[in-house]
């Protein structure tokens, strides 16, 4: 397993034996995935919409399918799920499946492995399977055009904030320089006049200000 860090863009991973495949989550996808992990104290499954990037793939959105969940299972009605899946407006981008093990270890169970194998990923396609828990440990298996990439061959990165929002804000907001205002002078308990600001709080005011 590898563990992500909420304070770093790239989590610590084992040194890969060969060039890793890069899986990146946009802020939109990452925050939605976190919301699912934080909100549900049961297992829950989701799909991710992906697009190619240099040396890998980017998960740019998260979408949830119809399911019934318990503390340790995710159950789907295959007919209902099939309709949802094949009628999804972004069907061609559905190349990521994730689910939560809540507080448990993220190694795949026999059911998880069977579910992956039953998806029958063609050799000309790419697909990401990941299992997460609330501590943000994860296990990954990538089907990469006929090659299975295991955990130590994955470089996971993510954004927690979308900088394009500030770019949009800056087109609407003008910042004007304000005149420097003399901080107020007050009388303290030691009968000294003092000047208050963030840096000089508690320092005695020079004679020229008295």
């Amino acid at each position: 397993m590898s563990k992500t860090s909420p304070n770093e863009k790239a989590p610590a991973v084992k040194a890969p034996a060969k060039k890793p495949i890069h899986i990146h989550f946009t802020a939109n996808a990452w925050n939605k995935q976190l919301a699912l992990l934080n909100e549900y104290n049961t297992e829950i499954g989701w799909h991710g919409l992906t697009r190619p990037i240099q040396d890998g793939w980017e998960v740019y959105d998260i979408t949830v399918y119809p399911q019934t969940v318990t503390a340790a299972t995710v159950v789907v009605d295959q007919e209902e799920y099939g309709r949802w899946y094949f009628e999804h407006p972004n069907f061609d981008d559905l190349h990521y499946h994730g689910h939560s093990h809540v507080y448990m270890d993220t190694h795949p169970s026999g059911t998880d492995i069977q579910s992956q194998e039953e998806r029958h990923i063609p050799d000309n396609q790419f697909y990401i399977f990941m299992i997460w828990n609330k501590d943000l440990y994860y296990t990954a298996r990538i089907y990469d055009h006929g090659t299975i990439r295991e955990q130590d061959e994955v470089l996971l990165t993510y954004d927690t904030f979308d900088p394009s929002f500030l770019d949009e804000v800056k087109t609407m907001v003008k910042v004007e320089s304000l005149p420097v205002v003399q901080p107020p002078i007050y009388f303290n308990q030691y009968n000294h006049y003092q000047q208050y600001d963030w840096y000089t709080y508690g320092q005695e005011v020079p004679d020229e200000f008295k």
Side-chain angles (χ1 to χ4, degrees):
M1 294 184 297
S2 296
K3 187 180 188 302
T4 58
S5 169
N7 298 316
E8 298 178 2
K9 184 175 180 181
V13 294
K14 291 173 61 178
K18 57 184 179 180
K19 187 175 182 179
I21 187 164
H22 184 191
I23 305 299
H24 179 73
F25 286 80
T26 65
N28 176 52
W30 181 252
N31 289 326
K32 286 184 178 180
Q33 184 168 267
L34 283 184
L36 295 174
L37 291 168
N38 290 332
E39 176 68 19
Y40 285 86
N41 292 320
T42 62
E43 288 205 4
I44 185 172
W46 59 87
H47 279 296
L49 306 182
T50 66
R51 55 195 172 203
I53 57 174
Q54 184 176 3
D55 298 328
W57 291 78
E58 180 176 76
V59 182
Y60 68 89
D61 203 358
I62 297 295
T63 182
V64 177
Y65 51 84
Q67 59 194 277
T68 300
V69 298
T70 69
T73 61
V74 173
V75 179
V76 298
D77 179 290
Q78 290 299 325
E79 183 175 349
E80 184 181 23
Y81 172 78
R83 287 196 303 270
W84 178 92
Y85 187 81
F86 291 107
E87 295 175 3
H88 195 282
N90 298 103
F91 168 75
D92 290 337
D93 291 348
L94 290 171
H95 292 284
Y96 168 47
H97 181 272
H99 75 276
S100 169
H101 273 188
V102 199
Y103 296 103
M104 296 184 292
D105 187 274
T106 61
H107 286 297
S109 66
T111 300
D112 295 330
I113 294 173
Q114 179 181 353
S115 177
Q116 293 178 12
E117 293 174 347
E118 288 178 348
R119 196 165 285 276
H120 301 297
I121 308 301
D123 287 348
N124 64 345
Q125 288 190 12
F126 179 91
Y127 206 91
I128 307 165
F129 290 101
M130 299 188 80
I131 303 172
W132 293 84
N133 67 18
K134 284 181 174 289
D135 291 324
L136 299 187
Y137 284 95
Y138 69 93
T139 298
R141 170 173 280 195
I142 314 297
Y143 287 73
D144 184 10
H145 300 90
T147 301
I148 296 178
R149 312 290 292 271
E150 298 290 355
Q151 180 78 14
D152 61 353
E153 298 178 77
V154 176
L155 172 63
L156 177 68
T157 63
Y158 58 90
D159 293 324
T160 57
F161 171 71
D162 184 359
S164 65
F165 171 68
L166 281 183
D167 292 336
E168 180 182 350
V169 169
K170 289 175 182 178
T171 66
M172 304 296 291
V173 178
K174 295 180 180 180
V175 179
E176 294 183 351
S177 298
L178 297 176
V180 177
V181 178
Q182 177 68 43
I185 297 175
Y186 65 94
F187 197 73
N188 73 5
Q189 60 178 323
Y190 301 108
N191 298 323
H192 290 294
Y193 286 104
Q194 292 188 330
Q195 189 176 24
Y196 174 82
D197 62 25
W198 291 111
Y199 302 101
T200 63
Y201 180 78
Q203 298 179 16
E204 187 172 352
V205 177
D207 292 338
E208 58 265 31
F209 292 110
K210 294 182 180 180

